[in-house]
Amino acid sequence: LMYFWSRKRLQQGQSSGPDALDPSDEHTDTEDNEEEDLGVLDDQRSIILHLLSQLKLGMDLTRVVLPTFILEKRSLLEMYANFMAHPDMFLSITSGCTPEERIIRFVEYYLTAFHEGRKGAVAKKPYNPILGENFHCSWNVPRDRVRPLRTTTSTATAPPTTTGSSQRGNSDCYCVRFVAEQVSHHPPVSGFYCECKEKKMCVNTHVWTKSKFMGMSVGVSMVGEGVLYLLEHDEEYVFTLPCAYARSILTVPWVELGGKVTISCAKSGYSATVTFHTKPFYGGKVHRVTAEVKHNQTGNIVCKAQGEWNGILEFTYSNGETKVIDTSKLPVIKKKIRTLEKQGPYESRRLWQHVTESLRAGNMDEATEHKHRLEEKQRSEGKQRAATKTPWKPKYFIKEVNNETHPGWSVHLLVIGFSFQKQNKN
């Protein structure tokens, strides 16, 4: 199943939603959800072996109940927000002076977006968002961190760390806002949207996660696509996402990305192909990625990249210049989030707070019980809707159908400053 985002126009103006967020309620996130890099314990291994004995190769794991001890202490919706850990690089995209420079900046941002989404080296599974769950956050990005021009030197590295944005006034910063919502339960589809009003740019994405059993690995396909809108240039960049694999699930499970993804801008005629290489069975490096940016009409390759998506990336441009980015040294701008007391009942951290507290305390039985209660509540609400024939209506996204494509999801109302409005294609 393919998803489609209809063409949208971003319009200025404050939204009038009754739950509009007050930026002053948000504070720099201080939670440390780093995961311990421990292997599977003996008693846990026996549980996994019992589970594996009931699975078949290629089996869909969407409805399989997995043991609580493999859970990461955050929701999948929050993991998507962590793709924006370098919002300064995101905002720099629209500062590119030419279409070529803008798509190259997008590729640079894209390749550095995945490493911060992982917490620790051991593969753990974020919470499956329940239907209607949502996550909100924002970032204050120092203006001097958003580069006006691309810097390409043979020794270029990560930008220097500057004073934390939490210590700066808002006038010295751009504000980037993010909202994610679980818009469907079967299939499990998440929508997330991120914008910077002042830079007139936003990204709108939908992801359907499909998991399958592969023997000693679990594969997760991220079906769907995103669209980056640069309103200043009237450009849209359509992109896809790689697959993820949890390897060595009986010993020390670890994550790698795999597959070929594309980035394309119809207006400028530039496109990029990014390939995440899985490790060969014998030898070879892990976490390798290569990329190529070209102008479709001429076939000219304007940029190549290679390296590791969680390590060092090397970029070579058509003029012969090069740049090196060490993702492990890129300064992270922490997101801002409201306290649990000011979050709604379906916001991720408040919704999962008891599961998270139990996991932190190492009480797996208690965590399982809290998780079971949430799942039972979701089932009960689903049965009530079915009995009354009441369709589920997401809060921030609507489902759309185009005659030439399959249905997809798009933002219909945002409480963060902008709203999308459908554009007449005729």
Side-chain angles (χ1 to χ4, degrees):
L1 177 65
M2 293 296 293
Y3 279 93
F4 168 74
W5 288 102
S6 65
R7 180 178 171 85
K8 300 290 181 178
R9 290 295 293 179
L10 194 61
Q11 296 193 334
Q12 293 190 12
Q14 295 293 327
S15 66
S16 57
D19 54 353
L21 303 181
D22 184 351
S24 65
D25 287 341
E26 294 182 321
H27 305 280
T28 301
D29 185 23
T30 57
E31 280 200 17
D32 180 10
N33 286 336
E34 290 291 335
E35 300 293 332
E36 295 182 357
D37 291 348
L38 299 176
V40 178
L41 303 178
D42 289 339
D43 57 338
Q44 298 174 346
R45 185 177 291 107
S46 63
I47 296 174
I48 295 178
L49 281 170
H50 176 69
L51 177 63
L52 296 182
S53 68
Q54 303 175 59
L55 303 179
K56 296 180 181 179
L57 287 177
M59 184 176 179
D60 181 7
L61 298 180
T62 302
R63 303 187 186 217
V64 175
V65 178
L66 300 175
T68 303
F69 59 77
I70 70 167
L71 292 179
E72 197 173 307
K73 296 185 287 291
R74 60 174 174 169
S75 170
L76 179 65
L77 298 185
E78 182 171 350
M79 191 191 81
Y80 290 141
N82 287 348
F83 288 162
M84 290 297 301
H86 306 304
D88 50 335
M89 295 185 68
F90 173 72
L91 297 184
S92 293
I93 296 171
T94 197
S95 300
C97 298
T98 63
E100 175 183 324
E101 190 168 322
R102 288 190 289 273
I103 193 169
I104 287 175
R105 287 188 174 201
F106 187 15
V107 171
E108 291 175 356
Y109 158 74
Y110 187 94
L111 291 179
T112 59
F114 293 94
H115 79 102
E116 189 61 24
R118 297 302 318 157
K119 293 295 183 182
V122 172
K124 289 200 171 185
K125 182 181 178 298
Y127 309 141
N128 283 336
I130 71 168
L131 187 61
E133 178 183 337
N134 53 87
F135 182 82
H136 301 261
C137 67
S138 68
W139 296 263
N140 282 344
V141 185
R143 292 175 183 270
D144 56 11
R145 288 274 292 274
V146 180
R147 297 169 290 126
L149 294 172
R150 188 179 86 216
T151 302
T152 54
T153 66
S154 58
T155 58
T157 56
T161 303
T162 57
T163 304
S165 58
S166 60
Q167 299 174 5
R168 294 169 176 252
N170 288 337
S171 61
D172 296 331
C173 298
Y174 295 111
C175 180
V176 177
R177 303 199 65 82
F178 176 94
V179 60
E181 181 179 13
Q182 192 69 6
V183 296
S184 173
H185 184 53
H186 293 302
V189 180
S190 307
F192 61 92
Y193 171 88
C194 188
E195 71 175 20
C196 179
K197 180 178 179 180
E198 193 172 355
K199 297 290 283 184
K200 297 182 180 179
M201 61 187 298
C202 64
V203 63
N204 207 356
T205 309
H206 60 282
V207 183
W208 170 15
T209 53
K210 299 176 66 176
S211 304
K212 67 177 180 179
F213 177 56
M214 303 168 61
M216 289 297 101
S217 300
V218 173
V220 180
S221 299
M222 293 194 278
V223 182
E225 67 180 25
V227 184
L228 169 68
Y229 298 84
L230 304 182
L231 275 298
E232 182 181 355
H233 308 288
D234 192 30
E235 292 175 344
E236 298 178 9
Y237 296 79
V238 181
F239 61 93
T240 54
L241 297 165
C243 298
Y245 301 92
R247 308 293 195 189
S248 305
I249 56 180
L250 274 180
T251 53
V252 181
W254 55 282
V255 169
E256 70 171 339
L257 302 179
K260 183 175 291 187
V261 302
T262 58
I263 301 169
S264 62
C265 178
K267 180 183 177 182
S268 68
Y270 282 93
S271 65
T273 301
V274 180
T275 304
F276 293 86
H277 302 270
T278 55
K279 183 182 181 300
F281 192 76
Y282 290 108
K285 293 183 178 180
V286 295
H287 309 311
R288 284 187 59 242
V289 63
T290 56
E292 191 174 87
V293 183
K294 72 175 182 179
H295 186 248
N296 298 331
Q297 292 179 327
T298 62
N300 292 335
I301 297 174
V302 297
C303 175
K304 287 186 175 182
Q306 65 174 352
E308 295 83 41
W309 56 266
N310 60 352
I312 295 176
L313 295 162
E314 301 174 358
F315 296 84
T316 304
Y317 307 100
S318 55
N319 61 2
E321 294 181 334
T322 62
K323 179 164 68 173
V324 175
I325 295 178
D326 186 342
T327 61
S328 66
K329 294 182 180 179
L330 283 175
V332 172
I333 296 179
K334 287 187 173 293
K335 59 182 176 288
K336 300 181 70 178
I337 192 169
R338 286 169 298 147
T339 60
L340 293 182
E341 296 76 20
K342 293 194 175 184
Q343 292 183 20
Y346 275 80
E347 290 193 53
S348 296
R349 287 202 180 174
R350 181 172 173 182
L351 184 72
W352 293 95
Q353 61 177 315
H354 300 303
V355 178
T356 301
E357 289 169 359
S358 299
L359 288 176
R360 283 187 180 140
N363 192 332
M364 296 303 159
D365 291 339
E366 191 174 277
T368 301
E369 177 60 27
H370 287 302
K371 177 173 172 286
H372 179 69
R373 290 176 188 172
L374 288 176
E375 293 166 344
E376 281 300 309
K377 184 173 183 291
Q378 181 172 227
R379 292 188 190 100
S380 175
E381 292 173 349
K383 289 178 181 178
Q384 289 179 355
R385 287 192 299 272
T388 58
K389 296 183 179 179
T390 304
W392 171 257
K393 186 178 180 181
K395 191 173 185 179
Y396 303 107
F397 293 81
I398 56 172
K399 197 171 187 177
E400 293 192 334
V401 178
N402 180 276
N403 292 332
E404 300 175 357
T405 64
H406 295 281
W409 296 90
S410 64
V411 173
H412 71 100
L413 171 67
L414 296 166
V415 297
I416 53 179
F418 280 158
S419 65
F420 269 123
Q421 192 171 71
K422 191 171 183 179
Q423 182 186 43
N424 190 337
K425 288 177 175 287
N426 298 328

PDB file of all heavy atoms in Angstrom, residues 14-23 25 177 338 414-416:
ATOM      1  N   GLN A  14      -2.197  32.713  12.917  1.00  0.00           N
ATOM      2  CA  GLN A  14      -2.299  31.888  14.108  1.00  0.00           C
ATOM      3  C   GLN A  14      -3.558  31.039  14.032  1.00  0.00           C
ATOM      4  O   GLN A  14      -4.621  31.507  13.642  1.00  0.00           O
ATOM      5  CB  GLN A  14      -2.362  32.784  15.350  1.00  0.00           C
ATOM      6  CG  GLN A  14      -1.092  33.576  15.585  1.00  0.00           C
ATOM      7  CD  GLN A  14       0.076  32.698  15.932  1.00  0.00           C
ATOM      8  OE1 GLN A  14      -0.096  31.667  16.564  1.00  0.00           O
ATOM      9  NE2 GLN A  14       1.267  33.099  15.528  1.00  0.00           N
ATOM     10  N   SER A  15      -3.431  29.777  14.400  1.00  0.00           N
ATOM     11  CA  SER A  15      -4.613  28.933  14.440  1.00  0.00           C
ATOM     12  C   SER A  15      -5.425  29.268  15.683  1.00  0.00           C
ATOM     13  O   SER A  15      -4.922  29.815  16.650  1.00  0.00           O
ATOM     14  CB  SER A  15      -4.221  27.452  14.465  1.00  0.00           C
ATOM     15  OG  SER A  15      -3.550  27.155  15.663  1.00  0.00           O
ATOM     16  N   SER A  16      -6.683  28.927  15.642  1.00  0.00           N
ATOM     17  CA  SER A  16      -7.572  29.283  16.751  1.00  0.00           C
ATOM     18  C   SER A  16      -8.045  28.048  17.494  1.00  0.00           C
ATOM     19  O   SER A  16      -9.105  28.030  18.081  1.00  0.00           O
ATOM     20  CB  SER A  16      -8.785  30.059  16.216  1.00  0.00           C
ATOM     21  OG  SER A  16      -9.455  29.296  15.232  1.00  0.00           O
ATOM     22  N   GLY A  17      -7.259  26.982  17.433  1.00  0.00           N
ATOM     23  CA  GLY A  17      -7.650  25.756  18.102  1.00  0.00           C
ATOM     24  C   GLY A  17      -7.812  25.966  19.594  1.00  0.00           C
ATOM     25  O   GLY A  17      -7.065  26.734  20.213  1.00  0.00           O
ATOM     26  N   PRO A  18      -8.782  25.298  20.227  1.00  0.00           N
ATOM     27  CA  PRO A  18      -9.031  25.492  21.661  1.00  0.00           C
ATOM     28  C   PRO A  18      -7.882  24.995  22.524  1.00  0.00           C
ATOM     29  O   PRO A  18      -7.771  25.388  23.680  1.00  0.00           O
ATOM     30  CB  PRO A  18     -10.299  24.665  21.900  1.00  0.00           C
ATOM     31  CG  PRO A  18     -10.289  23.631  20.811  1.00  0.00           C
ATOM     32  CD  PRO A  18      -9.686  24.304  19.637  1.00  0.00           C
ATOM     33  N   ASP A  19      -7.017  24.125  21.955  1.00  0.00           N
ATOM     34  CA  ASP A  19      -5.919  23.583  22.754  1.00  0.00           C
ATOM     35  C   ASP A  19      -4.579  24.154  22.307  1.00  0.00           C
ATOM     36  O   ASP A  19      -3.559  23.496  22.389  1.00  0.00           O
ATOM     37  CB  ASP A  19      -5.901  22.051  22.666  1.00  0.00           C
ATOM     38  CG  ASP A  19      -5.865  21.559  21.223  1.00  0.00           C
ATOM     39  OD1 ASP A  19      -5.991  22.396  20.317  1.00  0.00           O
ATOM     40  OD2 ASP A  19      -5.709  20.344  21.014  1.00  0.00           O
ATOM     41  N   ALA A  20      -4.593  25.388  21.798  1.00  0.00           N
ATOM     42  CA  ALA A  20      -3.358  26.017  21.343  1.00  0.00           C
ATOM     43  C   ALA A  20      -2.326  26.000  22.462  1.00  0.00           C
ATOM     44  O   ALA A  20      -2.627  26.331  23.609  1.00  0.00           O
ATOM     45  CB  ALA A  20      -3.635  27.452  20.889  1.00  0.00           C
ATOM     46  N   LEU A  21      -1.104  25.625  22.126  1.00  0.00           N
ATOM     47  CA  LEU A  21      -0.064  25.475  23.133  1.00  0.00           C
ATOM     48  C   LEU A  21       0.582  26.811  23.448  1.00  0.00           C
ATOM     49  O   LEU A  21       0.816  27.630  22.564  1.00  0.00           O
ATOM     50  CB  LEU A  21       1.002  24.490  22.636  1.00  0.00           C
ATOM     51  CG  LEU A  21       0.511  23.097  22.255  1.00  0.00           C
ATOM     52  CD1 LEU A  21       1.683  22.242  21.809  1.00  0.00           C
ATOM     53  CD2 LEU A  21      -0.208  22.446  23.415  1.00  0.00           C
ATOM     54  N   ASP A  22       0.880  27.014  24.696  1.00  0.00           N
ATOM     55  CA  ASP A  22       1.578  28.206  25.145  1.00  0.00           C
ATOM     56  C   ASP A  22       3.067  27.880  25.212  1.00  0.00           C
ATOM     57  O   ASP A  22       3.485  27.050  26.036  1.00  0.00           O
ATOM     58  CB  ASP A  22       1.054  28.630  26.515  1.00  0.00           C
ATOM     59  CG  ASP A  22       1.683  29.929  26.998  1.00  0.00           C
ATOM     60  OD1 ASP A  22       2.634  30.407  26.348  1.00  0.00           O
ATOM     61  OD2 ASP A  22       1.234  30.448  28.032  1.00  0.00           O
ATOM     62  N   PRO A  23       3.896  28.515  24.364  1.00  0.00           N
ATOM     63  CA  PRO A  23       5.335  28.207  24.368  1.00  0.00           C
ATOM     64  C   PRO A  23       5.997  28.387  25.725  1.00  0.00           C
ATOM     65  O   PRO A  23       6.988  27.719  26.024  1.00  0.00           O
ATOM     66  CB  PRO A  23       5.900  29.199  23.334  1.00  0.00           C
ATOM     67  CG  PRO A  23       4.736  29.527  22.447  1.00  0.00           C
ATOM     68  CD  PRO A  23       3.535  29.500  23.346  1.00  0.00           C
ATOM     69  N   ASP A  25       4.995  27.380  28.427  1.00  0.00           N
ATOM     70  CA  ASP A  25       4.795  26.176  29.240  1.00  0.00           C
ATOM     71  C   ASP A  25       5.862  25.122  28.970  1.00  0.00           C
ATOM     72  O   ASP A  25       5.955  24.136  29.706  1.00  0.00           O
ATOM     73  CB  ASP A  25       3.416  25.563  28.954  1.00  0.00           C
ATOM     74  CG  ASP A  25       2.289  26.383  29.566  1.00  0.00           C
ATOM     75  OD1 ASP A  25       2.574  27.173  30.476  1.00  0.00           O
ATOM     76  OD2 ASP A  25       1.126  26.223  29.122  1.00  0.00           O
ATOM     77  N   ARG A 177       8.642  23.869  15.619  1.00  0.00           N
ATOM     78  CA  ARG A 177       7.621  23.165  16.378  1.00  0.00           C
ATOM     79  C   ARG A 177       7.281  21.834  15.714  1.00  0.00           C
ATOM     80  O   ARG A 177       7.356  21.710  14.495  1.00  0.00           O
ATOM     81  CB  ARG A 177       6.374  24.027  16.540  1.00  0.00           C
ATOM     82  CG  ARG A 177       6.669  25.373  17.220  1.00  0.00           C
ATOM     83  CD  ARG A 177       5.424  26.009  17.780  1.00  0.00           C
ATOM     84  NE  ARG A 177       4.841  25.216  18.865  1.00  0.00           N
ATOM     85  CZ  ARG A 177       5.250  25.246  20.123  1.00  0.00           C
ATOM     86  NH1 ARG A 177       6.276  26.005  20.464  1.00  0.00           N
ATOM     87  NH2 ARG A 177       4.652  24.519  21.047  1.00  0.00           N
ATOM     88  N   ARG A 338       6.478  20.238  27.536  1.00  0.00           N
ATOM     89  CA  ARG A 338       5.738  20.620  28.741  1.00  0.00           C
ATOM     90  C   ARG A 338       5.855  19.538  29.812  1.00  0.00           C
ATOM     91  O   ARG A 338       6.080  18.363  29.516  1.00  0.00           O
ATOM     92  CB  ARG A 338       4.261  20.842  28.395  1.00  0.00           C
ATOM     93  CG  ARG A 338       4.009  22.140  27.628  1.00  0.00           C
ATOM     94  CD  ARG A 338       2.601  22.182  27.077  1.00  0.00           C
ATOM     95  NE  ARG A 338       2.395  21.093  26.135  1.00  0.00           N
ATOM     96  CZ  ARG A 338       1.237  20.463  25.969  1.00  0.00           C
ATOM     97  NH1 ARG A 338       0.191  20.780  26.711  1.00  0.00           N
ATOM     98  NH2 ARG A 338       1.122  19.497  25.073  1.00  0.00           N
ATOM     99  N   LEU A 414      -3.537  22.701  12.910  1.00  0.00           N
ATOM    100  CA  LEU A 414      -2.400  22.670  13.815  1.00  0.00           C
ATOM    101  C   LEU A 414      -2.565  23.758  14.856  1.00  0.00           C
ATOM    102  O   LEU A 414      -3.116  24.816  14.577  1.00  0.00           O
ATOM    103  CB  LEU A 414      -1.105  22.893  13.035  1.00  0.00           C
ATOM    104  CG  LEU A 414      -0.831  21.779  12.026  1.00  0.00           C
ATOM    105  CD1 LEU A 414       0.239  22.206  11.065  1.00  0.00           C
ATOM    106  CD2 LEU A 414      -0.421  20.529  12.748  1.00  0.00           C
ATOM    107  N   VAL A 415      -2.086  23.481  16.029  1.00  0.00           N
ATOM    108  CA  VAL A 415      -2.172  24.471  17.102  1.00  0.00           C
ATOM    109  C   VAL A 415      -0.836  25.184  17.246  1.00  0.00           C
ATOM    110  O   VAL A 415      -0.585  25.843  18.230  1.00  0.00           O
ATOM    111  CB  VAL A 415      -2.536  23.788  18.435  1.00  0.00           C
ATOM    112  CG1 VAL A 415      -3.892  23.154  18.336  1.00  0.00           C
ATOM    113  CG2 VAL A 415      -1.481  22.766  18.831  1.00  0.00           C
ATOM    114  N   ILE A 416       0.014  25.072  16.238  1.00  0.00           N
ATOM    115  CA  ILE A 416       1.373  25.585  16.401  1.00  0.00           C
ATOM    116  C   ILE A 416       1.687  26.730  15.445  1.00  0.00           C
ATOM    117  O   ILE A 416       2.839  27.000  15.168  1.00  0.00           O
ATOM    118  CB  ILE A 416       2.400  24.448  16.242  1.00  0.00           C
ATOM    119  CG1 ILE A 416       2.197  23.702  14.932  1.00  0.00           C
ATOM    120  CG2 ILE A 416       2.301  23.486  17.387  1.00  0.00           C
ATOM    121  CD1 ILE A 416       3.195  22.586  14.721  1.00  0.00           C
TER     122      ILE A 416
END
